Amino acid sequence: MSLTSFMGAIELGLVYSLLAFGTYISFRILNVADLTVDGSFVLGASVSAVFALGGRPVLGLILALLAGAIAGIITAALQTNMGIQPILAGILTMTGLYSVNLMVMGGRANIPLLNKESLFTYAEAVFGSSAYRVLTLILIVFSIFVILNWFFRTQLGLSIRATGDNESMCRASSVNTDFAKMVGFAISNSIVALSGALVAQMQQSADVNMGAGMVVISFASIIIGSVVIKNINITVGFISVIIGSVIYRFIIALILTTNFPPSYLKLISALVVVSALSVPSIKKKMEFRKLRSGRLKC
Amino acid sequence: MKKIVSIITIISIMFMLLVGCTTSAETNEADQDSQTSTESSKIKIGIIQPVEHPSLNQIREYIIKGLEEQGLADRVEITYRDAQGDPSNINTIISQFTGDKMDIIVPIGTGTAQSAAAATKETPVIFAAVSYPVEAGLVEDLSRPEGNVTGVSDAIDVKQIFDLAFEITPDIKTFGFVYNTGEVNSVAAVNKAKEYLDEKGINYVESTITNSSELMQAAQSLAAKSDAIFTPTDNTVASAMPVLASEAQKAGIPVYTGADSLVADGGFATVGIDYTVLGRQVAEMIKKVIEGESIENIPVETLKEYEKIINTSTAEQIGIEISDEALKEFKIVE
């Protein structure tokens, strides 16, 4: 693997770790597999592209966060106020977002940003070095990490976590679980949208179909991360997500480096996720066996 | 700690397996699609394709074939990668290409071309099958590309298709368009079609779809409202073309299309693109770059040959008779 593709894998790992942060909040903290992600990722990308095209890339990133939050609130409202099943609510929002994304992009399916100003061109001017993309992404991912880490220890953050752990008990202790969910989904999708927004500015184009498979990518990152580092608390949880996302990109990059028939790529990525998923269970079984054979004294 | 060790072990075992498979795969693949050689004197060409797709595969095959025909087979080393429909893989592939110091990058399709152009300002990028390079932001001027990007566009000649339609079926009062709003090329082609029909004072209606399962309903509603249907080189429509064809045949109206494969799948006629020609043209362009021509002297090309194609069994179904004399102009599919 050359240095460029090594850096490329780290860049992509970092930018998609934001996506995984978002999914971590809905999947691990709120305990709902939120499929809105495929749509809100593109929503972020299209909002950021439209503003970058108009010469306001940073404003685009901020508005992408906002737009993502709105998408999350809609999914949450479908679940809480209208009693639609969580998975279905996510799918519905995602489906609707397809048209919204096309509208945002002014009916075009693709917005090119080649030679347009973006956050990364600003960063290049500031950092100057060839590693400006990685440096920018490290800064962004670190600040989001710090903010999330702080937020999920506040009163509201704790009530969101409690809602995911045990909703009925939470309600019984007079927590407004509907509100907690709404805030949780809003934050989750706003970070997903930020990820999409950064991807668009980094690869200098936004495409209405770029969200395909984002849920899978983010789950893979979360799962690989949780295998590498045991999630003892939420701080470690978020760190594991970053590491998982970078490892996933390295695996993909390595698969692509080899002359493996490209048509096997999806199967291999599925196998990677399956093996990461099955490690904890295999280890548990092995420990159980040891216990039975009496070699492990507790 | 123990856990981390075990994970590292698992991952390394997986890679060993992977590498093991690779060596065996390489020998099989060597003849078909890539000539892997370690000689550094060879010119390294990286071809990237976004997804497995019959037309795109055909383009890639004919780029490689074209290079052989140009007598370059021994001088070039071709690496071919496919993102397998996952847009996030495109950047990984491109960064490997730039990292491996490819001499020429050949992206097939609009999205891959945009990623390649964004990734490098030095390495020549010769795209294939980007229908609207200016709209895609790849070049500002088709005739004089300024940066490191040029290529062969597969824009369909919308005017020629409609001229053909009015020639064979002159009674059309309303055209129906069906396409996926998410496909850049389709939207652009339909916009050109609208302009042309506005000029001619012909009405049109449109049905847009977002996936192929919606095609049947769109086709039925269009067939009721129009005298002929036009669909551009739309991948979503293409994947369910027989549905559109059978609905149109039931209603007895012709479907004019943007690509020959759509006619083969039951459409009526087109002035279409032959992807083998496209692949060869890209190969010729690669040769120019290898011979030291600078990109700005290589204008973006469109296809040199368009082919008139007609489906005679569809013609029979919808009751359109074409004289043997006229048929001579066409390539016929049944």
Side-chain angles (χ1 to χ4, degrees), chain A residues 1-2 4-5 8-9 12 16 98 102 107-112 114-115 133 199 202-205 207-212 214 217 226-228 230 247-266 268 271-272 275 279 283 287 290, chain B residues 2-4 6-7 10-11 14-15 17-19 21-22 25-26 29 33-34 36 52 79-89 91-93 95-96 98-101 110-111 113-115 117-119 121 134-138 140 180-184 187 209-210:
Chain A
M1 192 186 272
S2 66
T4 322
S5 50
L12 286 174
Y16 284 106
Y98 187 91
L102 275 174
R108 287 170 294 176
N110 178 296
I111 295 184
L114 288 169
N115 307 321
R133 291 214 289 225
V199 169
M202 197 165 98
Q203 71 181 21
Q204 300 175 15
S205 65
D207 194 288
V208 76
N209 299 313
M210 70 193 279
M214 286 304 142
I217 291 174
S226 69
V227 172
V228 179
K230 197 172 181 184
I247 293 181
Y248 179 77
R249 282 297 143 192
F250 270 111
I251 295 173
I252 296 290
L254 275 171
I255 299 171
L256 288 167
T257 317
T258 60
N259 272 325
F260 213 72
S263 41
Y264 290 167
L265 181 62
K266 289 268 173 184
I268 298 168
L271 284 177
V272 169
S275 47
V279 166
K283 282 194 72 181
E287 270 163 27
K290 273 188 202 161
Chain B
K2 235 175 76 190
K3 201 164 202 178
I4 296 179
S6 65
I7 287 138
I10 291 173
I11 293 180
M14 277 188 36
F15 284 130
L17 281 175
L18 209 72
V19 174
C21 298
T22 315
E26 229 172 308
E29 293 273 302
D33 62 28
S34 66
T36 31
E52 291 283 343
T79 310
Y80 148 60
R81 296 279 181 268
D82 185 320
Q84 294 294 308
D86 186 342
S88 68
N89 287 341
N91 289 322
T92 308
I93 296 171
S95 71
Q96 281 177 358
T98 50
D100 291 342
K101 304 235 165 1
T110 305
Q114 286 174 330
S115 288
K121 295 273 167 275
V134 177
E135 284 85 341
L138 292 168
E140 272 171 30
N180 181 354
T181 35
E183 290 188 32
V184 192
V187 176
I209 58 172
T210 55

Side-chain angles (χ1 to χ4, degrees), chain B:
Chain B
M1 202 54 216
K2 235 175 76 190
K3 201 164 202 178
I4 296 179
V5 172
S6 65
I7 287 138
I8 293 172
T9 326
I10 291 173
I11 293 180
S12 49
I13 290 172
M14 277 188 36
F15 284 130
M16 278 195 273
L17 281 175
L18 209 72
V19 174
C21 298
T22 315
T23 36
S24 61
E26 229 172 308
T27 39
N28 296 338
E29 293 273 302
D31 314 323
Q32 307 174 1
D33 62 28
S34 66
Q35 292 185 316
T36 31
S37 156
T38 45
E39 276 178 58
S40 56
S41 60
K42 289 195 171 181
I43 293 147
K44 293 201 272 186
I45 299 175
I47 303 180
I48 168 168
Q49 191 177 321
V51 65
E52 291 283 343
H53 181 295
S55 322
L56 300 183
N57 291 352
Q58 203 176 29
I59 295 170
R60 186 225 321 149
E61 281 160 24
Y62 277 84
I63 292 174
I64 297 171
K65 197 171 271 183
L67 287 172
E68 282 165 14
E69 287 165 1
Q70 306 272 342
L72 290 169
D74 302 328
R75 288 181 59 198
V76 296
E77 179 190 328
I78 297 164
T79 310
Y80 148 60
R81 296 279 181 268
D82 185 320
Q84 294 294 308
D86 186 342
S88 68
N89 287 341
I90 293 174
N91 289 322
T92 308
I93 296 171
I94 298 282
S95 71
Q96 281 177 358
F97 279 178
T98 50
D100 291 342
K101 304 235 165 1
M102 290 289 170
D103 297 301
I104 298 167
I105 297 176
V106 183
I108 304 176
T110 305
T112 49
Q114 286 174 330
S115 288
T120 174
K121 295 273 167 275
E122 289 92 38
T123 313
V125 173
I126 301 180
F127 60 75
V130 175
S131 300
Y132 299 97
V134 177
E135 284 85 341
L138 292 168
V139 291
E140 272 171 30
D141 184 354
L142 291 177
S143 57
R144 208 177 159 74
E146 275 175 16
N148 57 330
V149 185
T150 186
V152 182
S153 154
D154 67 344
I156 51 173
D157 197 329
V158 177
K159 280 184 188 171
Q160 281 194 41
I161 296 172
F162 282 98
D163 287 342
L164 177 80
F166 295 124
E167 189 190 317
I168 325 179
T169 46
D171 301 330
I172 299 171
K173 304 227 158 35
T174 309
F175 247 106
F177 301 142
V178 59
Y179 63 102
N180 181 354
T181 35
E183 290 188 32
V184 192
N185 293 345
S186 305
V187 176
V190 167
N191 286 340
K192 294 222 159 105
K194 284 178 184 169
E195 262 172 45
Y196 193 57
L197 291 186
D198 282 339
E199 241 171 64
K200 293 209 135 203
I202 306 264
N203 290 332
Y204 47 80
V205 287
E206 59 182 343
S207 273
T208 57
I209 58 172
T210 55
N211 67 54
S212 51
S213 67
E214 295 162 17
L215 183 56
M216 181 175 276
Q217 213 171 9
Q220 284 167 348
S221 82
L222 269 190
K225 288 186 281 192
S226 52
D227 312 311
I229 292 175
F230 168 69
T231 188
T233 44
D234 190 289
N235 291 316
T236 316
V237 173
S239 58
M241 182 62 198
V243 174
L244 174 61
S246 80
E247 290 304 326
Q249 282 177 17
K250 265 188 234 163
I253 61 173
V255 181
Y256 292 95
T257 71
D260 53 349
S261 66
L262 296 172
V263 176
D265 284 342
F268 177 55
T270 185
V271 186
I273 292 155
D274 186 342
Y275 287 108
T276 63
V277 177
L278 180 87
R280 287 201 173 97
Q281 254 175 270
V282 173
E284 280 168 30
M285 209 175 253
I286 293 174
K287 192 182 182 193
K288 280 187 198 163
V289 173
I290 290 176
E291 283 168 351
E293 189 92 50
S294 81
I295 295 284
E296 52 191 58
N297 294 329
I298 309 176
V300 174
E301 291 177 9
T302 49
L303 231 57
K304 282 178 187 153
E305 296 166 30
Y306 290 96
E307 224 180 353
K308 282 186 181 178
I309 301 152
I310 198 162
N311 188 323
T312 46
S313 46
T314 303
E316 207 172 291
Q317 285 280 338
I318 55 179
I320 295 177
E321 269 183 51
I322 295 160
S323 67
D324 290 343
E325 191 66 27
L327 268 183
K328 277 178 196 155
E329 283 179 41
F330 289 93
K331 180 181 157 192
I332 294 166
V333 290
E334 284 171 13

Side-chain angles (χ1 to χ4, degrees), chain A residues 30-88:
Chain A
L30 281 166
N31 222 357
V32 173
D34 177 21
L35 302 182
T36 315
V37 169
D38 274 14
S40 49
F41 183 81
V42 186
L43 179 64
S46 38
V47 169
S48 115
V50 167
F51 281 90
L53 200 65
R56 293 283 186 80
V58 177
L59 182 66
L61 293 178
I62 295 164
L63 291 178
L65 274 166
L66 258 173
I70 295 169
I73 289 171
I74 292 170
T75 304
L78 290 179
Q79 285 177 35
T80 54
N81 301 354
M82 307 187 190
I84 297 173
Q85 281 182 7
I87 295 261
L88 189 57

Side-chain angles (χ1 to χ4, degrees), chain A residues 95-107:
Chain A
T95 310
L97 277 177
Y98 187 91
S99 303
V100 174
N101 293 335
L102 275 174
M103 262 188 267
V104 170
M105 290 160 79

Side-chain angles (χ1 to χ4, degrees), chain A residues 104-131:
Chain A
V104 170
M105 290 160 79
R108 287 170 294 176
N110 178 296
I111 295 184
L113 297 173
L114 288 169
N115 307 321
K116 292 280 178 313
E117 279 188 345
S118 74
L119 180 72
F120 295 96
T121 55
Y122 295 159
E124 195 175 8
V126 176
F127 295 119
S129 74
S130 60

